[in-house]
Amino acid sequence: MKERLRSFHERRIDVPVGPDALVLDVGSGDKPSWRADVLLDRYPDDAFAGQRSGTGRTRIDRPLFDADAADMPFADGVFDYAICSHVLEHVTDPVGVVRELTRVARAGYIEVPEASAAKIIDFPSHLWWCRLDEWTRPPTLVMTAKQAPAFDSEIDAYLQRSGLAGPVKKLIDSNHHHNIIALRWEGSQPIRVEGEHDPAFVEATVNAEAHHGTGEAVAARVLTALLTARKPRRTAPIAWDDIMKPELRRGDGALLEARLYRM
């Protein structure tokens, strides 16, 4: 339990920025980072709840942009920090998303499920097996295209019909800190893709049935609230023109509000 709490704090609470820093959360879903000032999510509607792993309903308590993470509407380097947690395994162009992350922010954090654990039980909405090539400096994130929801269809069928899928997943999740790749980057993050997807498989993942861990999501929210209650947060308003690409600026001094912006 002590190790799990330490991991949770490092991954979810310890955002290494000052109180005046501007922070972006890409793929914020129903559990945006406590420190994020601006959110971006391509699938905010309830129809795409299968892309999320918590309660399923997108949280809109800060400015939320419905936009492509591989083509963000933000200007170069406007964010001090960008968080992208459990998003790259869902997108068709992870290289493009990482390129955009490192364009709009000066540093950030990426988290993805590690292939060895995901191959036992994985979400049907995931498109990639994720690994870390530590022979390079810095280590390269390697995304290998999945061809089916499960790594081994026979093993998956056995887990489902035996009723063991739930207990096995619970056991794996109890050691979540061993099941992920966590990368803090500054300036750039190497990434490469291996293989190609069947378009039909990609379509199926977008419309995948939701697999929510509501209890765990609520517990994570409560713990986050307790651990961040007295932490400093940015309070200064954010002007639309201060963060958007030049061609999207309005020139009217408008401030961002806690609502959904469709791009």
Side-chain angles (χ1 to χ4, degrees):
M1 178 60 73
K2 186 177 181 180
E3 189 176 3
R4 290 183 65 187
L5 287 173
R6 179 184 58 79
S7 173
F8 182 86
H9 198 280
E10 289 177 352
R11 295 182 298 105
R12 297 287 179 254
I13 308 302
D14 243 355
V15 183
V17 298
D20 297 324
L22 191 60
V23 179
L24 171 69
D25 189 341
V26 174
S28 54
D30 61 307
K31 299 186 294 295
S33 169
W34 70 274
R35 183 56 185 80
D37 305 292
V38 178
L39 313 176
L40 183 145
D41 197 304
R42 189 54 173 156
Y43 299 105
D45 300 319
D46 291 349
F48 300 103
Q51 298 295 316
R52 297 182 282 277
S53 60
T55 59
R57 184 172 294 277
T58 304
R59 199 169 169 191
I60 310 176
D61 57 358
R62 281 154 277 185
L64 170 63
F65 287 82
D66 176 359
D68 186 353
D71 185 19
M72 297 188 207
F74 310 120
D76 295 355
V78 293
F79 294 99
D80 297 288
Y81 203 76
I83 298 164
C84 185
S85 181
H86 291 271
V87 175
L88 295 182
E89 67 271 21
H90 294 269
V91 302
T92 56
D93 184 13
V95 173
V97 174
V98 171
R99 181 181 60 243
E100 283 290 271
L101 286 170
T102 57
R103 179 185 68 80
V104 305
R106 292 183 281 279
Y109 176 74
I110 292 171
E111 184 174 309
V112 292
E114 208 275 330
S116 58
K119 283 183 174 181
I120 301 172
I121 292 184
D122 199 20
F123 280 92
S125 56
H126 291 182
L127 287 167
W128 306 91
W129 305 119
C130 311
R131 302 180 184 84
L132 197 61
D133 180 357
E134 300 196 57
W135 289 97
T136 67
R137 287 292 178 269
T140 298
L141 183 59
V142 182
M143 312 290 286
T144 302
K146 291 175 62 175
Q147 303 303 320
F151 178 68
D152 188 304
S153 60
E154 291 181 325
I155 293 176
D156 181 64
Y158 165 73
L159 290 171
Q160 300 300 329
R161 71 172 182 266
S162 66
L164 289 173
V168 170
K169 184 179 184 304
K170 186 175 181 179
L171 177 62
I172 293 173
D173 289 345
S174 69
N175 290 279
H176 183 71
H177 48 290
H178 291 303
N179 307 334
I180 58 168
I181 295 170
L183 296 170
R184 294 193 187 274
W185 58 268
E186 185 172 351
S188 64
Q189 171 56 53
I191 181 173
R192 73 170 184 265
V193 162
E194 298 177 343
E196 297 181 354
H197 288 115
D198 180 339
F201 174 66
V202 174
E203 181 67 22
T205 64
V206 171
N207 297 298
E209 179 184 352
H211 285 67
H212 300 148
T214 305
E216 292 181 6
V218 172
R221 286 184 183 178
V222 171
L223 183 58
T224 298
L226 290 172
L227 294 175
T228 61
R230 296 187 179 181
K231 283 187 172 291
R233 306 170 192 241
R234 179 188 171 95
T235 57
I238 305 168
W240 174 279
D241 286 359
D242 285 347
I243 68 167
M244 304 303 282
K245 288 179 177 177
E247 62 270 26
L248 296 175
R249 292 171 187 166
R250 301 172 176 174
D252 58 3
L255 300 178
L256 294 182
E257 302 172 357
R259 68 175 184 84
L260 178 63
Y261 292 90
R262 301 275 188 185
M263 301 303 298

